[in-house]
PDB file of all heavy atoms in Angstrom:
ATOM      1  N   SER A 168     -14.478  43.003  29.177  1.00 98.00           N
ATOM      2  CA  SER A 168     -14.509  42.907  30.632  1.00 98.00           C
ATOM      3  C   SER A 168     -15.905  42.493  31.106  1.00 98.00           C
ATOM      4  O   SER A 168     -16.048  42.126  32.276  1.00 98.00           O
ATOM      5  CB  SER A 168     -14.108  44.198  31.251  1.00 98.00           C
ATOM      6  OG  SER A 168     -15.109  45.233  31.099  1.00 98.00           O
ATOM      7  N   LYS A 169     -16.902  42.558  30.223  1.00 98.00           N
ATOM      8  CA  LYS A 169     -18.269  42.306  30.637  1.00 98.00           C
ATOM      9  C   LYS A 169     -18.932  41.161  29.887  1.00 98.00           C
ATOM     10  O   LYS A 169     -20.150  40.957  30.020  1.00 98.00           O
ATOM     11  CB  LYS A 169     -19.126  43.585  30.429  1.00 98.00           C
ATOM     12  CG  LYS A 169     -18.645  44.788  31.209  1.00 98.00           C
ATOM     13  CD  LYS A 169     -19.569  45.985  30.937  1.00 98.00           C
ATOM     14  CE  LYS A 169     -19.131  47.213  31.710  1.00 98.00           C
ATOM     15  NZ  LYS A 169     -17.857  47.784  31.202  1.00 98.00           N
ATOM     16  N   VAL A 170     -18.183  40.399  29.091  1.00 98.00           N
ATOM     17  CA  VAL A 170     -18.791  39.323  28.318  1.00 98.00           C
ATOM     18  C   VAL A 170     -18.205  37.975  28.667  1.00 98.00           C
ATOM     19  O   VAL A 170     -17.095  37.851  29.130  1.00 98.00           O
ATOM     20  CB  VAL A 170     -18.634  39.547  26.786  1.00 98.00           C
ATOM     21  CG1 VAL A 170     -19.308  40.849  26.361  1.00 98.00           C
ATOM     22  CG2 VAL A 170     -17.231  39.489  26.360  1.00 98.00           C
ATOM     23  N   MET A 171     -19.014  36.958  28.407  1.00 98.00           N
ATOM     24  CA  MET A 171     -18.615  35.535  28.557  1.00 98.00           C
ATOM     25  C   MET A 171     -18.948  34.794  27.317  1.00 98.00           C
ATOM     26  O   MET A 171     -20.003  35.029  26.726  1.00 98.00           O
ATOM     27  CB  MET A 171     -19.299  34.877  29.733  1.00 98.00           C
ATOM     28  CG  MET A 171     -18.948  35.370  31.111  1.00 98.00           C
ATOM     29  SD  MET A 171     -19.895  34.466  32.363  1.00 98.00           S
ATOM     30  CE  MET A 171     -19.148  35.096  33.877  1.00 98.00           C
ATOM     31  N   PHE A 172     -18.091  33.920  26.911  1.00 98.00           N
ATOM     32  CA  PHE A 172     -18.336  32.998  25.743  1.00 98.00           C
ATOM     33  C   PHE A 172     -18.189  31.559  26.305  1.00 98.00           C
ATOM     34  O   PHE A 172     -17.147  30.950  26.164  1.00 98.00           O
ATOM     35  CB  PHE A 172     -17.331  33.246  24.639  1.00 98.00           C
ATOM     36  CG  PHE A 172     -17.370  34.666  24.074  1.00 98.00           C
ATOM     37  CD1 PHE A 172     -16.236  35.421  24.039  1.00 98.00           C
ATOM     38  CD2 PHE A 172     -18.549  35.154  23.538  1.00 98.00           C
ATOM     39  CE1 PHE A 172     -16.258  36.708  23.493  1.00 98.00           C
ATOM     40  CE2 PHE A 172     -18.602  36.436  23.004  1.00 98.00           C
ATOM     41  CZ  PHE A 172     -17.458  37.208  22.963  1.00 98.00           C
ATOM     42  N   PRO A 173     -19.300  31.008  26.826  1.00 98.00           N
ATOM     43  CA  PRO A 173     -19.200  29.676  27.490  1.00 98.00           C
ATOM     44  C   PRO A 173     -18.837  28.552  26.543  1.00 98.00           C
ATOM     45  O   PRO A 173     -18.431  27.471  27.029  1.00 98.00           O
ATOM     46  CB  PRO A 173     -20.599  29.503  28.053  1.00 98.00           C
ATOM     47  CG  PRO A 173     -21.173  30.871  28.191  1.00 98.00           C
ATOM     48  CD  PRO A 173     -20.601  31.616  27.035  1.00 98.00           C
ATOM     49  N   LEU A 174     -18.988  28.740  25.255  1.00 98.00           N
ATOM     50  CA  LEU A 174     -18.716  27.638  24.286  1.00 98.00           C
ATOM     51  C   LEU A 174     -17.333  27.692  23.658  1.00 98.00           C
ATOM     52  O   LEU A 174     -16.989  26.768  22.908  1.00 98.00           O
ATOM     53  CB  LEU A 174     -19.776  27.653  23.163  1.00 98.00           C
ATOM     54  CG  LEU A 174     -21.257  27.698  23.550  1.00 98.00           C
ATOM     55  CD1 LEU A 174     -22.084  27.554  22.330  1.00 98.00           C
ATOM     56  CD2 LEU A 174     -21.578  26.643  24.557  1.00 98.00           C
ATOM     57  N   GLY A 175     -16.554  28.686  23.985  1.00 98.00           N
ATOM     58  CA  GLY A 175     -15.307  28.894  23.265  1.00 98.00           C
ATOM     59  C   GLY A 175     -14.320  27.773  23.388  1.00 98.00           C
ATOM     60  O   GLY A 175     -13.487  27.528  22.512  1.00 98.00           O
ATOM     61  N   HIS A 176     -14.406  26.986  24.465  1.00 98.00           N
ATOM     62  CA  HIS A 176     -13.479  25.892  24.694  1.00 98.00           C
ATOM     63  C   HIS A 176     -14.009  24.563  24.179  1.00 98.00           C
ATOM     64  O   HIS A 176     -13.372  23.545  24.409  1.00 98.00           O
ATOM     65  CB  HIS A 176     -13.150  25.766  26.181  1.00 98.00           C
ATOM     66  CG  HIS A 176     -14.341  25.386  27.024  1.00 98.00           C
ATOM     67  ND1 HIS A 176     -15.464  26.180  27.199  1.00 98.00           N
ATOM     68  CD2 HIS A 176     -14.636  24.210  27.694  1.00 98.00           C
ATOM     69  CE1 HIS A 176     -16.345  25.555  27.960  1.00 98.00           C
ATOM     70  NE2 HIS A 176     -15.839  24.366  28.246  1.00 98.00           N
ATOM     71  N   LEU A 177     -15.152  24.580  23.516  1.00 98.00           N
ATOM     72  CA  LEU A 177     -15.788  23.361  23.116  1.00 98.00           C
ATOM     73  C   LEU A 177     -15.898  23.243  21.582  1.00 98.00           C
ATOM     74  O   LEU A 177     -16.148  24.228  20.880  1.00 98.00           O
ATOM     75  CB  LEU A 177     -17.246  23.279  23.654  1.00 98.00           C
ATOM     76  CG  LEU A 177     -17.375  23.254  25.148  1.00 98.00           C
ATOM     77  CD1 LEU A 177     -18.870  23.405  25.552  1.00 98.00           C
ATOM     78  CD2 LEU A 177     -16.860  21.945  25.755  1.00 98.00           C
ATOM     79  N   PRO A 178     -15.741  22.005  21.036  1.00 98.00           N
ATOM     80  CA  PRO A 178     -16.074  21.794  19.631  1.00 98.00           C
ATOM     81  C   PRO A 178     -17.583  21.734  19.438  1.00 98.00           C
ATOM     82  O   PRO A 178     -18.294  21.385  20.392  1.00 98.00           O
ATOM     83  CB  PRO A 178     -15.417  20.438  19.324  1.00 98.00           C
ATOM     84  CG  PRO A 178     -15.290  19.753  20.643  1.00 98.00           C
ATOM     85  CD  PRO A 178     -15.156  20.822  21.656  1.00 98.00           C
ATOM     86  N   LYS A 179     -18.024  22.092  18.260  1.00 97.00           N
ATOM     87  CA  LYS A 179     -19.478  22.142  18.014  1.00 97.00           C
ATOM     88  C   LYS A 179     -20.133  20.775  18.276  1.00 97.00           C
ATOM     89  O   LYS A 179     -21.280  20.693  18.819  1.00 97.00           O
ATOM     90  CB  LYS A 179     -19.709  22.525  16.553  1.00 97.00           C
ATOM     91  CG  LYS A 179     -21.145  22.490  16.103  1.00 97.00           C
ATOM     92  CD  LYS A 179     -21.960  23.626  16.688  1.00 97.00           C
ATOM     93  CE  LYS A 179     -23.393  23.613  16.201  1.00 97.00           C
ATOM     94  NZ  LYS A 179     -24.074  24.894  16.343  1.00 97.00           N
ATOM     95  N   LYS A 180     -19.464  19.684  17.903  1.00 97.00           N
ATOM     96  CA  LYS A 180     -20.049  18.375  18.118  1.00 97.00           C
ATOM     97  C   LYS A 180     -20.370  18.131  19.560  1.00 97.00           C
ATOM     98  O   LYS A 180     -21.420  17.542  19.916  1.00 97.00           O
ATOM     99  CB  LYS A 180     -19.099  17.286  17.570  1.00 97.00           C
ATOM    100  CG  LYS A 180     -19.655  15.880  17.617  1.00 97.00           C
ATOM    101  CD  LYS A 180     -18.716  14.888  17.034  1.00 97.00           C
ATOM    102  CE  LYS A 180     -19.321  13.466  17.085  1.00 97.00           C
ATOM    103  NZ  LYS A 180     -18.369  12.459  16.516  1.00 97.00           N
ATOM    104  N   GLU A 181     -19.491  18.569  20.427  1.00 98.00           N
ATOM    105  CA  GLU A 181     -19.717  18.370  21.887  1.00 98.00           C
ATOM    106  C   GLU A 181     -20.853  19.217  22.366  1.00 98.00           C
ATOM    107  O   GLU A 181     -21.632  18.819  23.231  1.00 98.00           O
ATOM    108  CB  GLU A 181     -18.431  18.696  22.690  1.00 98.00           C
ATOM    109  CG  GLU A 181     -18.563  18.310  24.151  1.00 98.00           C
ATOM    110  CD  GLU A 181     -17.235  18.381  24.837  1.00 98.00           C
ATOM    111  OE1 GLU A 181     -16.198  18.373  24.193  1.00 98.00           O
ATOM    112  OE2 GLU A 181     -17.274  18.435  26.113  1.00 98.00           O
ATOM    113  N   VAL A 182     -21.043  20.430  21.775  1.00 98.00           N
ATOM    114  CA  VAL A 182     -22.173  21.288  22.129  1.00 98.00           C
ATOM    115  C   VAL A 182     -23.478  20.574  21.791  1.00 98.00           C
ATOM    116  O   VAL A 182     -24.410  20.559  22.604  1.00 98.00           O
ATOM    117  CB  VAL A 182     -22.041  22.654  21.409  1.00 98.00           C
ATOM    118  CG1 VAL A 182     -23.335  23.437  21.596  1.00 98.00           C
ATOM    119  CG2 VAL A 182     -20.864  23.435  21.939  1.00 98.00           C
ATOM    120  N   ARG A 183     -23.536  19.976  20.613  1.00 97.00           N
ATOM    121  CA  ARG A 183     -24.726  19.223  20.205  1.00 97.00           C
ATOM    122  C   ARG A 183     -24.972  18.033  21.174  1.00 97.00           C
ATOM    123  O   ARG A 183     -26.115  17.786  21.588  1.00 97.00           O
ATOM    124  CB  ARG A 183     -24.547  18.671  18.811  1.00 97.00           C
ATOM    125  CG  ARG A 183     -24.714  19.696  17.728  1.00 97.00           C
ATOM    126  CD  ARG A 183     -26.171  19.940  17.404  1.00 97.00           C
ATOM    127  NE  ARG A 183     -26.364  20.861  16.298  1.00 97.00           N
ATOM    128  CZ  ARG A 183     -27.504  21.437  16.013  1.00 97.00           C
ATOM    129  NH1 ARG A 183     -28.599  21.177  16.709  1.00 97.00           N
ATOM    130  NH2 ARG A 183     -27.593  22.243  14.954  1.00 97.00           N
ATOM    131  N   ASN A 184     -23.894  17.377  21.590  1.00 98.00           N
ATOM    132  CA  ASN A 184     -24.023  16.251  22.504  1.00 98.00           C
ATOM    133  C   ASN A 184     -24.566  16.708  23.849  1.00 98.00           C
ATOM    134  O   ASN A 184     -25.425  16.050  24.469  1.00 98.00           O
ATOM    135  CB  ASN A 184     -22.685  15.515  22.671  1.00 98.00           C
ATOM    136  CG  ASN A 184     -22.261  14.773  21.470  1.00 98.00           C
ATOM    137  OD1 ASN A 184     -23.081  14.455  20.576  1.00 98.00           O
ATOM    138  ND2 ASN A 184     -20.969  14.478  21.322  1.00 98.00           N
ATOM    139  N   ILE A 185     -24.044  17.810  24.363  1.00 98.00           N
ATOM    140  CA  ILE A 185     -24.517  18.345  25.639  1.00 98.00           C
ATOM    141  C   ILE A 185     -26.005  18.675  25.600  1.00 98.00           C
ATOM    142  O   ILE A 185     -26.783  18.375  26.475  1.00 98.00           O
ATOM    143  CB  ILE A 185     -23.713  19.589  26.021  1.00 98.00           C
ATOM    144  CG1 ILE A 185     -22.254  19.182  26.377  1.00 98.00           C
ATOM    145  CG2 ILE A 185     -24.350  20.322  27.209  1.00 98.00           C
ATOM    146  CD1 ILE A 185     -21.319  20.400  26.554  1.00 98.00           C
ATOM    147  N   ALA A 186     -26.425  19.305  24.445  1.00 98.00           N
ATOM    148  CA  ALA A 186     -27.846  19.602  24.291  1.00 98.00           C
ATOM    149  C   ALA A 186     -28.708  18.370  24.303  1.00 98.00           C
ATOM    150  O   ALA A 186     -29.771  18.327  24.922  1.00 98.00           O
ATOM    151  CB  ALA A 186     -28.026  20.416  23.009  1.00 98.00           C
TER     152      ALA A 186
END
Side-chain angles (χ1 to χ4, degrees):
S168 72
K169 300 179 179 71
V170 302
M171 292 181 173
F172 299 124
L174 308 186
H176 65 292
L177 297 171
K179 175 73 178 199
K180 185 176 180 181
E181 189 169 341
V182 171
R183 283 280 183 192
N184 290 339
I185 291 171

